[in-house]
Every structure is written in C-alpha cells, then in structure tokens.
Amino acid sequence: MLYDANPTLEGIKTIDESKQGSVFYKESTGATPGLKHFYIESYGCQMNFSDSEIVASILGDIGFAPTRNVEESDLILINTCSIREKAEETVRKRLKAFEIIKRNRPDLKVGVLGCMAERLKKQWLEEEKLVDLVVGPDAYRDLPNLIGSAEDGGRMVNVLLSREETYADISPVRLDSNGVTAFISIMRGCDNMCSFCVVPFTRGRERSRDPFSVVAEAQDLFEKGYREVTLLGQNVDSYKWDNPENGEHVDFADLLEMTALVNPELRVRFSTSHPKDMTDKVLHTMATYENICKYIHLPVQSGNSRILELMNRTYDREWYMDRMESIRRILPDAAVSSDIISGFCSETEEEHQDTLSIIEWSNYSMAYMFTYSERPGTLAARKYPDDVPEDVKKRRLNEIIRLQTALSLRNNQNDIGKTFKVLVERDSSKSAADFCGRNSQNKMCVFPKSEGIKPGDYVMVKIHDATSATLLGKLA
Ligand code: SAH
Ligand code: SF4
Ligand code: F3S
C-alpha cells in the first residue's frame, strides 16, 4: 500500500514513517466565517488516507469544514498507523506538538483515530492527558456523537469493531486531491493471520463492500473528471459478495471487470494482492481490458519457505514463483512490486540469501523494504523470540535495498526508447516546466509541458533517460 519514498534513496521506497503525514484541506486561504474547522493528519497505508476522506464527509454533515491551518482549527484529528514501532513513535511526537497549541486553547479538542486508537484503546486517556477522543476505524459514524460529548467536557472512546461496516453509503470528501486519481475502498479488515502483522487486530474481520456502490463511486469520480481509481483492500483477491436478492456471486475479477466497464478512459488499479489468493481469472481479466493497469503489488515478505511458514503466509517459495510465472505468461508487459521484511525471528544468513535470490528472480520494478518490528499481541510476539540483532537486520535490509536499487535502475533503463501512454497527474515536484504521470506499469514519467495539455489528459511519452525511480521522456 502507500508508503513515502525515502528521498535519500532514489527509487527505493523504504519506509520513513516520520515523513508520512499528510494534511487534508479544502480552502487554501483562511477559515470560513461561522463554520467550525477540523484539521486532520493521516499516517500509514492508503486505507487510512481513504478513511480520512470518509471522516471528512461525516464531519461535513455536522458543520465542520476542513482547514490546513492547525492554529485556526477547533478539532485536531490524527489518523494513526500501528504497523511498525516507528510509525507509533511518529504519532506520539506529533501529539507533543499539538499539546503546545492546546495549552493556550483549552477549548480545542484532539482526537486519535485509526489503528493506533484501536490497538491502545482506553490506555490513551491514561497516557496522553491532552487526548479528548479515541475512535477506532469502524466507529467513525459515531464521531458526531463523540465530538458533542467532548465539547461538553467528556473524554470519549469508541473502538468497537464491526463485522458489517463498510461505509458504503458515505460519499468521501476528496480533500487532498489532484482531481485525476482517487482511492476507493472495496473491503475492510483482514482475516489472514500473518504472524508479524497487527492489522487483523486493529481493523477486525474482513468484509467486502457492495460492488454496485463501488461502481457508482467510480462512475461519479469519472463524471467529475477523475481518470484513475485504485481499488483498496488488505487482500483484494479475497473480495467476495453475494447478492442477497438473487444469490449471484461477485469475486474480485468480476468487480475489476465491472469497474473497468465504467468507461474505457477510466484507469483501474488495485492494491494489495496476496500471493495465496491471486487467481489466473484476475490475470485474464487484466489482460482483457486495456484500462486495467498492468501492475501488480504482490508482497513476497521472504524468499525462504521455512520463514514464510513461521510468518503464516500460507504459501511457500515455489507457490510464489508459480504465481509470478502465471503473471509473466498471461501479462508479459506487467510490472510487479513487492514488500520485504528483513530479520524476521530466527532468520539465518542462508535464509536471507533466499530472499535476495527471489528478489533477483522476480525482477521487481520496485519494493517497500523493512526490518522486522515486533508488534505486541501478534502471533510472532507470543510465539517466537525477536532474536535477530538489530544491526544484523539493518545490514540485511541494506543488502536488499542495494540489490533492489540496481534492479529498479536496470528495469527502467530497459524502457529507454519505448513509448508509453501516460495519464498526466500534476506538475513535476522538481520543475514547474514539467508534468508527471504514470504509465500502465505504475512507473512515474516526467516530461516537458506543452500547450493544450493538462492533468487528466492521456499523452504518449517517448522515454530517453531513466533513474531508478523515474522515467524521463518527451511527448511523442
Ligand atoms: N495486506 C498487505 C500488507 C499490509 S502491511 C499484504 O499482506 O501484503 C504492509 C507491509 O508492511 C507488509 O507487506 C509487510 O511487509 C510490512 N509489515 C507488516 N507488519 C510488519 C512488522 N511487524 N514489521 C515489519 N514490517 C511489517
Ligand atoms: Fe497483515 Fe497479512 Fe492481513 Fe496483509 S494479509 S494485512 S500482512 S495479516
Ligand atoms: Fe494501514 Fe497502518 Fe493500519 S498500514 S491498516 S494504517 S496499521
């Protein structure tokens, strides 16, 4: 899912949790008189960013407008992530900064949302004196209620998880948007019990959203000028929905097709695929529709079967390689990316070598790479000692990063001379004279602007140069 690139390691999207915050806002100047304002920062995966848009919609209904200026807000919200210890440390630091603002503004309310709210529950109110609200990911409909009580001086907690909540009827407020690309959550929670992972505890049971509400949201976005949607879930391949009216079964491949049919000019992406569930049916659907992007994020985590078993990933090295071979056969042009964890409990040097060799064999276009971070309450924390020393984890991670950087560069250099269809997204962050946008394979292309071309247009770009992170080209 979404992690910020570490700017010091071009092309390698290692996590840097301290840079992950994002401010959502509507107005670029000043507060709207007469309205109350909320300020929200989001951390973690795309699902959290997507949830913040649902929160904005719920708050809009009770007269709260978003602001980018924390000083003028009546309510500060921080949508948190628990995936690694570092992510939680970042949140604690931000709360300290808000504490200083609150000291002079006793009426200002501060709320913790998301996965860290869910994980620590009531503990927040004991540990952090400035927190007024603690709201878990399935309780956002209760926000109006909770905010009302907080305004009356209460300190409120709702961390109930639900088996049904999908927020399907709530139209997200797109706040921090380029007007071209948007996320649509298609499911919530996760039923896989990967032994390292906190998500099943913070997000609850897996549930899929009504496909017709997904298609309606995609249609609405298209009509508003958006040209790309990313369907989100922790394991999109296990999407399933049974029509209560006629018993019709909709799986992920069906939903992908339904979304692709909204309009051939609307690109469809998705994240994340789990190797145990990714079917050839999904790959064939991708091959059938030009507007389904030829890019798959298929996290391997480790290249060693013993470690994969300890991780409870329910596939082994051979199964993963078989899935990759299917991708290469059915979608020869597709790019594949991955997530990798170094130094999981009891990992040996030899097993680490297996990870390096599967990275090389898979020839990923890109990867998110992490050292193992033990999370309280997970299966691994309960069963296996976190016994790979920190310096060994880091050294192995650096070897992984070095290899992936070389592969990313080689991969991108192979694109020199090719011409790609690119969806223009925005100005390049390096130069206002250039636009940037991605090709079907999710590679960022940068090219000089030209009269009459604007974000939301499709253009053909011929690549003349490449770094490990970016393709540089000219309009063809
Ligand atoms: N649902 C997705 C993963 C979501 S979490 C999937 O199964 O692929 C994103 C990534 O964070 C994971 O793929 C994993 O590589 C990493 N991650 C999760 N828990 C972690 C932990 N305890 N320590 C280090 N990395 C972790
Ligand atoms: Fe975590 Fe595994 Fe679920 Fe992904 S599939 S969210 S890694 S438990
Ligand atoms: Fe996402 Fe972090 Fe929660 S990765 S699901 S916000 S723990």
Side-chain angles (χ1 to χ4, degrees):
M1 311 212 88
L2 182 93
Y3 311 99
D4 270 0
N6 180 336
T8 59
L9 289 163
E10 201 180 22
I12 298 303
K13 313 256 169 136
T14 47
I15 185 119
D16 183 349
E17 269 102 346
S18 63
K19 296 196 177 63
Q20 271 191 294
S22 162
V23 181
F24 283 79
Y25 57 88
K26 199 181 257 164
E27 311 89 355
S28 53
T29 52
T32 315
L35 276 180
K36 288 187 185 173
H37 290 84
F38 71 94
Y39 168 94
I40 188 165
E41 276 183 18
S42 303
Y43 293 82
C45 65
Q46 288 162 343
M47 307 241 23
N48 247 17
F49 286 72
S50 173
D51 279 1
S52 290
E53 300 189 330
I54 287 166
V55 168
S57 174
I58 292 169
L59 294 184
D61 290 345
I62 54 162
F64 273 88
T67 175
R68 72 192 303 190
N69 181 356
V70 67
E71 300 283 347
E72 74 184 18
S73 66
D74 307 281
L75 172 65
I76 296 176
L77 297 173
I78 177 157
N79 198 353
T80 60
C81 173
S82 287
I83 201 84
R84 282 164 292 270
E85 202 175 331
K86 211 171 150 204
E88 294 199 343
E89 283 164 13
T90 306
V91 168
R92 302 263 189 206
K93 271 192 214 132
R94 288 303 287 151
L95 282 172
K96 292 280 166 290
F98 296 147
E99 199 170 356
I100 297 165
I101 301 170
K102 192 167 161 155
R103 235 174 262 154
N104 308 320
R105 298 256 326 267
D107 55 323
L108 176 68
K109 301 295 168 202
V110 175
V112 178
L113 313 180
C115 292
M116 215 178 152
E118 192 62 52
R119 194 175 84 73
L120 295 169
K121 303 189 169 64
K122 282 197 187 120
Q123 212 178 311
W124 276 109
L125 302 187
E126 289 145 31
E127 286 175 13
E128 303 277 350
K129 295 296 170 224
L130 88 157
V131 171
D132 304 288
L133 293 165
V134 180
V135 189
D138 285 347
Y140 297 145
R141 280 183 208 269
D142 199 24
L143 272 167
N145 223 343
L146 299 167
I147 292 168
S149 304
E151 283 172 343
D152 293 338
R155 299 181 77 205
M156 309 306 294
V157 181
N158 186 344
V159 288
L160 285 177
L161 288 171
S162 157
R163 278 177 178 257
E164 284 96 36
E165 183 62 271
T166 59
Y167 300 110
D169 57 315
I170 295 182
S171 199
V173 172
R174 313 281 170 190
L175 296 166
D176 199 21
S177 165
N178 56 15
V180 179
T181 60
F183 299 126
I184 303 181
S185 288
I186 61 163
M187 55 205 295
R188 300 181 71 81
C190 183
D191 280 353
N192 299 310
M193 276 285 174
C194 301
S195 63
F196 52 79
C197 185
V198 78
V199 171
F201 304 95
T202 62
R203 293 263 164 180
R205 298 304 297 270
E206 181 183 292
R207 63 223 99 120
S208 298
R209 178 176 163 188
D210 176 341
F212 301 105
S213 75
V214 172
V215 170
E217 193 171 327
Q219 180 77 48
D220 180 59
L221 285 163
F222 184 76
E223 280 158 16
K224 289 180 173 141
Y226 287 79
R227 290 295 173 265
E228 183 180 297
V229 294
T230 303
L231 307 182
L232 293 182
Q234 291 298 354
N235 176 7
V236 289
D237 305 276
S238 70
Y239 177 92
K240 54 175 178 300
W241 188 80
D242 291 309
N243 193 332
E245 277 157 34
N246 56 17
E248 179 200 8
H249 181 74
V250 179
D251 65 14
F252 181 60
D254 302 328
L255 178 69
L256 207 48
E257 178 166 48
M258 287 162 74
T259 316
L261 286 169
V262 165
N263 197 295
E265 295 289 294
L266 181 72
R267 271 185 173 179
V268 185
R269 297 186 186 275
F270 55 89
S271 187
T272 299
S273 299
H274 194 299
K276 86 177 158 71
D277 293 319
M278 199 199 56
T279 61
D280 285 359
K281 184 177 172 194
V282 167
L283 301 177
H284 286 297
T285 305
M286 290 175 75
T288 307
Y289 295 93
E290 189 268 340
N291 58 330
I292 304 180
C293 290
K294 305 300 177 273
Y295 169 66
I296 301 175
H297 186 56
L298 193 72
V300 69
Q301 313 298 0
S302 163
N304 176 269
S305 294
R306 187 187 75 91
I307 293 294
L308 286 169
E309 194 176 339
L310 290 185
M311 287 177 163
N312 201 24
R313 287 290 285 181
T314 67
Y315 56 84
D316 59 11
R317 183 182 171 99
E318 285 64 41
W319 175 277
Y320 187 89
M321 290 170 87
D322 172 76
R323 293 291 74 219
M324 284 296 288
E325 275 167 355
S326 274
I327 296 172
R328 300 288 177 232
R329 188 177 67 247
I330 300 167
L331 298 165
D333 292 336
V336 180
S337 61
S338 196
D339 292 349
I340 291 141
I341 298 177
S342 83
F344 186 68
C345 313
S346 77
E347 183 190 71
T348 64
E349 283 306 323
E350 235 177 358
E351 290 165 339
H352 163 61
Q353 290 299 325
D354 285 347
T355 296
L356 292 173
S357 74
I358 208 160
I359 292 172
E360 181 138 36
W361 181 86
S362 301
N363 192 21
Y364 298 126
S365 60
M366 188 271 286
Y368 300 106
M369 296 157 281
F370 318 96
T371 54
Y372 171 57
S373 164
E374 186 179 80
R375 308 310 295 133
T378 55
L379 199 73
R382 284 181 278 134
K383 269 176 80 175
Y384 313 123
D386 180 12
D387 54 2
V388 177
E390 212 44 46
D391 58 329
V392 175
K393 284 184 189 171
K394 286 212 176 100
R395 195 250 308 144
R396 290 182 190 166
L397 176 66
N398 285 336
E399 288 173 16
I400 291 168
I401 290 173
R402 209 172 313 130
L403 172 62
Q404 184 54 49
T405 312
L407 289 176
S408 298
L409 180 64
R410 191 185 68 192
N411 245 303
N412 285 352
Q413 283 173 340
N414 274 341
D415 287 337
I416 294 175
K418 293 184 191 161
T419 300
F420 293 111
K421 183 174 169 183
V422 170
L423 174 62
V424 185
E425 280 181 32
R426 54 179 167 81
D427 283 4
S428 148
S429 40
K430 292 208 177 119
S431 157
D434 295 333
F435 273 136
C436 66
R438 282 169 295 156
N439 68 4
S440 180
Q441 288 74 15
N442 207 36
K443 291 189 181 177
M444 194 50 98
C445 304
V446 175
F447 53 94
K449 287 181 178 173
S450 168
E451 194 82 304
I453 288 171
K454 56 182 189 318
D457 290 348
Y458 288 102
V459 292
M460 299 305 290
V461 175
K462 184 166 184 195
I463 305 306
H464 59 73
D465 210 348
T467 69
S468 58
T470 318
L471 302 178
L472 306 171
K474 286 200 169 63
L475 291 169

